[in-house]
Amino acid sequence: EPVFIEIEDDRVELKAAGALWGKNVKETTNLLKDKGSVACIGRAGEKLVSLGSIMSDTVHTFGRGGVGAVMGSKNLKAIVVKGTGSVEIFDRAEFIKQKKAINRLLIASPTINKGLAVFGTPFLVKITSWMKILPVANFREAEPEPDFDLKPFFAKTIAKDYSPRKKACYSCPIACKREDKKGKELPEYETIGLMSANIQNPDYEAVVEANRLCNDYGLDTISVAGTLGCYAEIRNKGISAAELINLTRMIGEKEGFGERLG
Ligand code: SF4
């Protein structure tokens, strides 16, 4: 029988998750979030897809290694945690001193304060393409073909087209995560890099949708995109925008050719 683990301070309980089984990450998280922070799997992990991830509060990913399938193999849908205690600081004066020193270094770093904090990780797309270390054609090339337009994937284009809002992991002053005006998560550098030139897909909007599907099915975007890059090389043909979306969904559902890819 499917279960989830509920933890509140020292209380740990296994609870029935039959009503959650078959649901994807957003729906599962919405149903459990009143009980605490939620780490769960989607349909991919349930179906033991080897690219399955565990999603924490919908967008934070335990990605590589198929850990979602490990949870699925144990019929474990989610772990929900709530704590009411606090963390003691051993030496508060020293803690504040070190915090100030770290913040000073963050502010002094142009990579952080002019890149990550302003544009999020997508600012790396232009830099890595300029350095010729962006993954291209399943890592076989150092730069895209001249007719492949990378500009739609550059952070400034995304900023202009989407007016992204900042999101952060708990208490992080950098806040490198981004979502669109409607709250849809926008992809990070690794996902953009691997789902664009690496598979020869020219459409940023398709990457946004494939990223959303991966997060909801509980699939690791890097593993999915790496697999699609390999598939594109084997068949000697890039992955179109429509294929990217469709194959991602098929991997999550373990459906048809998606089962072999997954
Ligand atoms: S901790 Fe901060 S910099 Fe790191 S991923 Fe989270 S928001 Fe980005």
Side-chain angles (χ1 to χ4, degrees):
E1 185 197 348
V3 294
F4 72 93
I5 299 174
E6 186 176 339
I7 303 171
E8 184 170 359
D9 295 332
D10 293 333
R11 179 177 63 82
V12 181
E13 281 183 70
L14 277 181
K15 295 204 163 170
L20 299 171
W21 206 252
K23 297 191 187 307
N24 267 337
V25 167
K26 287 221 166 78
E27 198 177 356
T28 303
T29 305
N30 278 338
L31 288 166
L32 292 174
K33 68 182 181 191
D34 288 344
K35 299 175 188 294
S37 275
V38 180
C40 71
I41 57 171
R43 290 167 64 83
E46 290 180 10
K47 291 168 186 263
L48 311 185
V49 177
S50 301
L51 314 181
S53 56
I54 301 169
M55 302 300 295
S56 179
D57 291 335
T58 69
V59 291
H60 304 277
T61 311
F62 296 87
R64 263 70 67 208
V67 284
V70 175
M71 268 179 72
S73 74
K74 297 175 188 302
N75 283 335
L76 177 59
K77 181 66 179 173
I79 302 170
V80 187
V81 181
K82 186 190 265 181
T84 58
S86 59
V87 177
E88 292 297 315
I89 297 172
F90 175 72
D91 183 340
R92 183 166 288 273
E94 183 64 17
F95 175 82
I96 289 169
K97 188 174 136 197
Q98 293 302 331
K99 194 176 102 172
K100 281 185 181 161
I102 290 167
N103 280 338
R104 187 183 60 76
L105 289 174
L106 291 179
I107 290 164
S109 162
T111 307
I112 304 267
N113 76 20
K114 289 193 166 46
L116 267 183
V118 179
F119 295 106
T121 55
F123 93 101
L124 291 164
V125 174
K126 190 170 187 180
I127 291 177
T128 53
S129 66
W130 178 75
M131 295 171 78
K132 302 199 189 323
I133 55 172
L134 183 76
V136 176
N138 199 26
F139 288 88
R140 285 174 298 159
E141 307 292 341
E143 54 190 328
E145 295 290 323
D147 61 349
F148 187 93
D149 186 9
L150 264 179
K151 282 196 202 73
F153 304 100
F154 287 167
K156 281 193 176 167
T157 314
I158 298 166
K160 184 164 70 66
D161 293 347
Y162 286 79
S163 307
R165 295 191 302 220
K166 286 186 174 195
K167 294 274 285 181
C169 301
Y170 179 71
S171 277
C172 174
I174 299 170
C176 77
K177 294 179 179 294
R178 295 292 180 273
E179 63 181 20
D180 72 7
K181 281 179 268 187
K182 292 183 180 158
K184 180 154 78 171
E185 63 271 31
L186 294 174
E188 307 250 6
Y189 160 72
E190 295 90 339
T191 309
I192 297 172
L194 285 166
M195 288 188 176
S196 59
N198 196 52
I199 62 170
Q200 292 142 280
N201 158 50
D203 186 338
Y204 176 75
E205 186 61 39
V207 180
V208 173
E209 179 58 10
N211 179 67
R212 186 196 67 78
L213 282 170
C214 282
N215 286 351
D216 206 25
Y217 274 101
L219 284 168
D220 175 38
T221 59
I222 292 176
S223 304
V224 167
T227 302
L228 292 177
C230 179
Y231 173 49
E233 178 178 345
I234 290 168
R235 72 174 190 173
N236 199 25
K237 185 179 164 204
I239 309 285
S240 70
E243 280 183 304
L244 170 60
I245 294 168
N246 199 30
L247 289 172
T248 301
R249 189 193 57 76
M250 287 169 71
I251 292 170
E253 290 289 357
K254 215 171 181 177
E255 174 191 303
F257 187 59
E259 179 170 5
R260 289 191 70 194
L261 288 170

